[in-house]
Structure formats: structure tokens, C-alpha cells
Amino acid sequence: HNTGGGGITWGGCGLLFILNFVSFSSGFCWANSVERKIYIPLNKTAPCVRLLNATHQIGCQSSMSGDTGVIHVVEKEQDLKWVLTDGPHPPYMVLLEGELFTRELMLQLKGSSRISGLAVAISKPSPAQGFSPGLKCPNDGFGVYSNNYGPQYAHCNWTVWNPLGNGLAYEDFNFPIFLLEDANETQVIKQCYQDHNLPQNGSVPEYPLCAMQLFAHMHAVTNTVTCMRRSSLQTAFSLNPEEVCDALSDYNVWSTLKPINTSSKIDPMDEVIIVATRIDSHSFFWNVAPGAESAVASFVTHLAAAEALHKVPDVQKLPRNIMFTFFQGETFDYIGSSRMVYDMQMDKFPIRLDNIHSFLELSQVALRNSSVLWVHTDPVSRRNESIQPQVMKLSLLSMGANVTLQEVSQSQPLPPSSFQRFLRAKQIPGVVLADHRTSFQNRYYQSMYDTAENILMKYPEGLSPEETLDYVTDTAKSLAEVATVVARALYQLAGGTGNTSAIQADPRMVSRMLYGFLIKTNNSWFQSIIKQDLKGLLGDELPQHYIAVTTLVNTTQLVQYVLANLTGTVVNFTKEECLNPEKTPNPEKEMYVYTWVQGSRDPNSTSRVPFCVQSTVHLTKAASPAFELKQWGSTEYSTWTESRWKDIRARIFLVASKELEIITLVVGIAILILSLLATYFINAKAHVLFSSPGDGGAVAY
């Protein structure tokens, strides 16, 4: 039965039984055609998936065959009454408006057996009251503060850093929840609901009804200890192991101002200043992590500061080296920083903890009030007489550039930061720079709404993609000012005595990076600085910054190539020499990394002009030591894993009443039995039914 106006055809168990029977008889191609007539797939969606740690499982999942329910649109809280109590056709699939996606409402739905799943329409504009599904105290228990170190600061007792955090992303839901990213698909669902499910004049809607089916079955259960044990047993005893979860892991990106030989340790007397940021984010939905304020603005500022420093003429003569570090997986209990500290302690890294002179970290920096940037320090380590003078020196470094550095109260602890993982291992002088004095300015921390709009990026209408790439926004100017202050401070910390006024970050380059990391990775500049075989990194979708599992994620690789482009040198190597530098007589080949990039397009042709970049940019593992040590229940290191799955998809269709489904099934079975009986009798009497008149005897001539 075709309803018209959208091509949705109703179906149910009985109808599908017949269709499946016919499909085997008539061929797979015809069956696919029938399926397309029955279902409308939803292609622009993002699922909530299951994550696990040492003690819990969080996220969502469907049953093995997917969950189905009649669609009901909830645009205001009063609409919930229909799905929770009044509606006669449970279970329901709720289409929820974005501004209603709150903890209180979700817990109501979680406690009802009448709900089979949820589709959330993204709110535009972002909810004015803010929305953060993260925790009020991010990474609680994995920073430096504990019962043994500043116990009064542990568990955010002193400062609640993310007061808007509702913890929704850390709940466990036993039904699937999908984000609808395309407004057109959302409208198709709403139209189907209005045509078929909307109660008219208080009457109950009649069949066929518009339904939705969500597939998101997760293989892992309980916690990381359980799933890793099951995976290890599979690996040990099965020829075709089916692992059920994977550790969240990727790579950190790092480079040094002055080249070092990474195959050996640096001299114990050499001093290194570490400047650090995180490059990952998270939200309630899988791989939806724009992270504009929580990650991108700070690592773009970091990159701009690195470029500004490399342009200083006497930089190679500075007494101290500077290490630019971009940590991956910090959202999940400091995966990247804890691994780097572990490698330093185990002598698996060329720089030791004892080489670290000081530490400067860029936290969230895009939402400054009145140009103020707040300097956070650790009140516990400052009691150490050898640490206090160095921290004071760090705190007093401010070189204008329209940025005012102000130190927070010395009794206030550090905000969530990678620096805390280094303090756990050794007392190091350090500061964390942030746009907030106490709680976060960011109202969308760890949220799908932490986008370019959240950091006030605005472009004039009518710009081409190339013009947008190079347009210098007010946000870019502001971050360039922060990058200038950071670069000048680092120059002085490293022992520089020259005039710092010439050290200046480039606002145009900051604009390019913000555009590439927040709006469109597939732009001409990113195309020119990557390897030719990595063109798949660049897409037209909005960039996301989730850590994922096992493979190099796009963000890590792009940060790697941007850093190499901004801080490296173009060398006159052939492609063969660039790809195999060990074959060249260059005595410094062990000090550098060489990358053959595809270059910009030749203005007079469609071909590109590739070149070789010499840099000090390296990758190092960002995988929690807990998995290397097989301590899956660790309380010292991150234990986050992601469940595996086979099928994630969503679709809508019209469903018939149970009575009609049963009738259709019975009729289908009856027709099948009649067909089999008819075939049997025809086959048994074939010699009578299909014999010719002359078959009875011989023919005489």
C-alpha cells in the first residue's frame, strides 16, 4: 500500500515474511528494490555508542536485531504524557527537539518500558541556557589532587569547573539514541508523523503508522575488565577471534625548537620547556566532537605560537630547548599525557622528567572577558622553596599584545589539565593559561554545540571558499594575540635576551587553521601540506576531534602536517631522497623528519608542485599504560574502551496493525502450503497431465 507524498510503503512481520520468501525465489536484485520501496534510510545520523572503564559501562545500545517503535514527536514537555502513559501503540520512538535533551527528561524516558529509542534533532541556534553532557568535575580522580596530595582540592571540592555538566554522557541507556544531523531528514520524519501518527481531534490515530528502526547493538558489556578479558580469551584460543572492545588510543604530536636525536636520550644537563595543549574532544554522540573552545582554539593558538618562535633569528642559540606537545585522549582521563609521563619514567622517550625546566599549558582560551587571560598554578607545589620562584617568574611574564595576564588566587587548585599528570610524577614549575578564573566560560563543554559559533567566528555573506579561508575574523585576531604573548613568554623562559616586540603570531594563519579544523578540512591550504596518499583525510563534513581506537585519526595527522609546515624548512631533496633520507650523505638526517607533500596547484595547470619538508615533528603513542601493563582495573591510568559493533543504521517505514500482520502471515503461510500441495499433486500426475494423445501405442504407417 503506497501512501504517496514520500514514497513510504507499509510493512510488518507478515508482509516481510512473504517478501523474504519471494526474494529468494525472484532474485536478490528485486528484493533490494522492494526494500527501497518499504524503507527510507536516514543517512545523516550519529549514534550514541557504549564506552567502558574499569568500573562502569556508559552510552547506549539496541537489541541485536535493532529496536522499532511508532514515532512520536516531542516538541514540549507536555507531549511526553502521550508516550509515557496515554498512547495506545507502545513502544514509541521519540523524536526529541534539541532544547529538550536534558538529564531530567532523559531519566524519565530511561525509566519507562514504553520507550524503544530516541532520535534527537540538533537545536539551531544552540540552547541559550547552555548544554554540557560532561561531568561537573572532568577527569575526577586522575589528576594530581587526591587524599595524598592537596586533599582539600580533590573531587572539585574547592572549585566546580564545569557547573553546567549534567553527566548525561556518563549514563547507561538500554535503548538506542541517535542524533539527526540533517534538517531535511528531520523534516521527512516529522512529515511522516503528521501524515500518519498525529492524533486528530483527540481521536487515536489509525494504522498504518509511521515507525522508526534503530540498529546499534554493542558487543561489550559490564566494564573494561570484563570486555578485555573476553577479547584476550578470544585472541588466545580462537583462529578467528572476535574482540568485543578496543582501548581508546591514538598518537601524541610533538616537536622541539632545536632538533634532538630521538634515537638516544638528551644530555641530563639539558633543560627543556614543555608547552602543551589537548587536541581531542567528546560529546554524547559518537564522533561528534567539534571541540571549538575545549580543544581547537587552544591548539591553534599553540601552533601559531610555535610558528612565531621559529621565525626568531637567534632561536637556535637559546640556552634552553622548547618542546611543543599536543596530547591526544585527554578528555578520557588524560590518556596522552599519562602515556608520555610513563614513557619518560621508563626511559622510552628521548627527554626525561629531570630535563623539564618548566611547563606552560594552554587550556580554553577563546572566550576571554576584557582581554584578560588567567594564570593558574598549583598551590601545593608552590610551597616548595625551589618551585615558588620559578612559578613566580612564569606568572609575571606578560609582553603586551592587548592581553592582560592575571594570576588567580594562590589558594585555588589547577583546572583539569595535562600538567596535573606531570605533577603526579614530579614537582615541576608550571602554569595553565585559561580564559576563566574559576568555572569554565564554555557553556557547551564536551557538547555537539561547541562549534565555531560558540567562539564567535563570523564571516561576511557571499565569500567564496578561498576568501573564507583567508578572511581574518575577530576570533582569529584575539587568538593571535594570545599566541604572541605565549611565544614571547617562551622566548624569555628559554633564555632569550633579544627584543621580543618583533615576535608576532600571524592572524591570517590562525584564520586558516580555525577554518580548516572547525569548518572545512578540504581546503586548498590543507591540500597543499599533506602527502598525496592522504587525500582521504580531507572531507567536506564538519571536522570532528574524537580520539577513536587504534588508528591515526584525522585531527592527529592534520596537526602533524600543519606543525611541520609552520615550523619546518623546505629542502632541495628529490622525492627519492625525501622518502629515504637514510640513503643521503646528510649528517643531520637523524635529527629531522622528512615529508614529501603534494604542494599547491600550479597556477598555469591542474598539476601540483610537490616538495620536501624537513621538520622536528614526531608522533608518540597515546595509549593508556593500563593496557600495556594489562592492568584493566587500574585507578592510576585511564581504562576507557569502546565497544565493537557490526551494524549502525536508522530507517523509517509504515507499520501495519498487529492484526493485519497476523492475517498477512497466515494468508502467506496458507498460500505457501497450497502452492506446495499443488506442486506435489501436479508432479505426481505429471505423466497423465502432460502426456500427448499418441503416447499410448506404436504408430503404424
Side-chain angles (χ1 to χ4, degrees), residues 442-514:
N442 187 2
R443 294 178 299 128
Y444 305 107
Y445 183 74
Q446 290 188 6
S447 159
M448 56 197 170
Y449 301 115
D450 189 9
T451 59
E453 290 76 16
N454 185 34
I455 59 170
L456 310 178
M457 280 176 61
K458 296 176 182 176
Y459 296 95
E461 292 184 8
L463 295 184
S464 68
E466 285 302 306
E467 291 170 335
T468 309
L469 175 66
D470 285 326
Y471 181 81
V472 180
T473 62
D474 289 341
T475 302
K477 292 175 187 175
S478 172
L479 293 178
E481 290 170 354
V482 175
T484 298
V485 167
V486 170
R488 292 176 182 179
L490 289 170
Y491 176 76
Q492 289 198 341
L493 277 172
T497 57
N499 184 5
T500 60
S501 60
I503 302 175
Q504 191 76 40
D506 183 0
R508 179 171 165 270
M509 193 56 71
V510 173
S511 281
R512 285 186 158 199
M513 289 189 280
L514 289 174

Side-chain angles (χ1 to χ4, degrees), residues 128-422:
Q129 71 275 19
F131 175 74
S132 173
L135 299 170
K136 291 184 185 296
C137 188
N139 292 356
D140 185 22
F142 290 87
V144 69
Y145 302 112
S146 65
N147 293 335
N148 302 318
Y149 189 101
Q152 68 271 36
Y153 306 125
H155 314 301
C156 296
N157 286 335
W158 195 273
T159 305
V160 177
W161 296 107
N162 185 30
L164 290 176
N166 58 30
L168 195 57
Y170 294 83
E171 288 287 333
D172 183 39
F173 294 92
N174 60 359
F175 52 75
I177 304 175
F178 278 52
L179 177 68
L180 302 174
E181 299 180 283
D182 187 339
N184 292 329
E185 288 190 343
T186 303
Q187 192 52 45
V188 168
I189 299 169
K190 287 184 176 180
Q191 190 61 51
C192 183
Y193 164 78
Q194 289 166 5
D195 290 345
H196 300 279
N197 299 10
L198 191 64
Q200 301 293 337
N201 301 321
S203 63
V204 175
E206 297 181 359
Y207 286 101
L209 296 171
C210 192
M212 183 185 293
Q213 191 171 28
L214 302 178
F215 297 84
H217 181 66
M218 301 289 131
H219 294 179
V221 294
T222 311
N223 53 39
T224 289
V225 177
T226 302
C227 81
M228 290 301 294
R229 184 177 67 245
R230 290 177 179 176
S231 292
S232 62
L233 287 171
Q234 282 276 339
T235 305
F237 298 109
S238 175
L239 293 175
N240 298 302
E242 287 193 15
E243 297 182 18
V244 294
C245 67
D246 299 284
L248 293 180
S249 61
D250 194 59
Y251 287 84
N252 298 321
V253 183
W254 67 278
S255 75
T256 51
L257 192 63
K258 296 187 286 186
I260 61 173
N261 189 340
T262 56
S263 61
S264 62
K265 303 288 182 296
I266 67 171
D267 190 283
M269 300 304 292
D270 288 349
E271 292 184 320
V272 178
I273 299 159
I274 293 182
V275 53
T277 47
R278 67 175 61 189
I279 58 174
D280 69 299
S281 188
H282 177 45
S283 81
F284 186 88
F285 298 98
W286 182 76
N287 204 30
V288 178
E293 159 75 339
S294 62
V296 177
S298 54
F299 76 67
V300 163
T301 303
H302 187 169
L303 289 163
E307 182 195 28
L309 269 173
H310 272 268
K311 290 178 179 177
V312 178
D314 65 341
V315 78
Q316 294 300 318
K317 299 176 184 177
L318 292 174
R320 301 184 184 97
N321 207 344
I322 298 173
M323 176 175 160
F324 305 100
T325 315
F326 300 81
F327 290 121
Q328 181 64 274
E330 296 301 273
T331 305
F332 295 96
D333 299 337
Y334 306 117
I335 293 173
S337 55
S338 64
R339 179 53 184 259
M340 183 170 284
V341 171
Y342 174 81
D343 286 345
M344 287 179 173
Q345 290 173 319
M346 296 292 111
D347 279 342
K348 296 180 180 179
F349 198 78
I351 297 169
R352 302 175 179 88
L353 285 170
D354 290 337
N355 292 120
I356 300 174
H357 168 268
S358 51
F359 199 103
L360 189 153
E361 180 169 354
L362 283 164
S363 186
Q364 303 177 81
V365 294
L367 298 176
R368 288 183 293 139
N369 276 336
S370 306
S371 77
V372 174
L373 197 62
W374 293 96
V375 181
H376 297 260
T377 59
D378 171 39
V380 180
S381 61
R382 289 188 71 162
R383 296 173 195 154
N384 186 320
E385 290 181 2
S386 64
I387 298 291
Q388 169 66 1
Q390 295 282 12
V391 174
M392 286 297 293
K393 191 184 294 185
L394 280 165
S395 302
L396 293 171
L397 288 169
S398 178
M399 275 60 68
N402 299 323
V403 177
T404 305
L405 289 182
Q406 288 191 19
E407 190 178 355
V408 301
S409 165
Q410 291 190 22
S411 63
Q412 181 174 292
L414 286 168
S417 51
S418 307
F419 180 39
Q420 292 200 32
R421 290 302 304 195
F422 284 79

Side-chain angles (χ1 to χ4, degrees), residues 634-679:
S634 173
T635 55
E636 169 72 12
Y637 299 112
S638 171
T639 55
W640 285 105
T641 53
E642 181 185 271
S643 174
R644 289 197 178 186
W645 60 80
K646 282 188 178 175
D647 191 19
I648 286 185
R649 57 195 167 100
R651 59 191 184 180
I652 63 171
F653 59 98
L654 293 186
V655 65
S657 67
K658 294 294 181 187
E659 293 79 7
L660 183 56
E661 287 184 348
I662 292 169
I663 292 169
T664 308
L665 177 63
V666 170
V667 170
I669 293 171
I671 292 172
L672 175 62
I673 292 170
L674 287 172
S675 301
L676 292 173
L677 288 172
T679 303

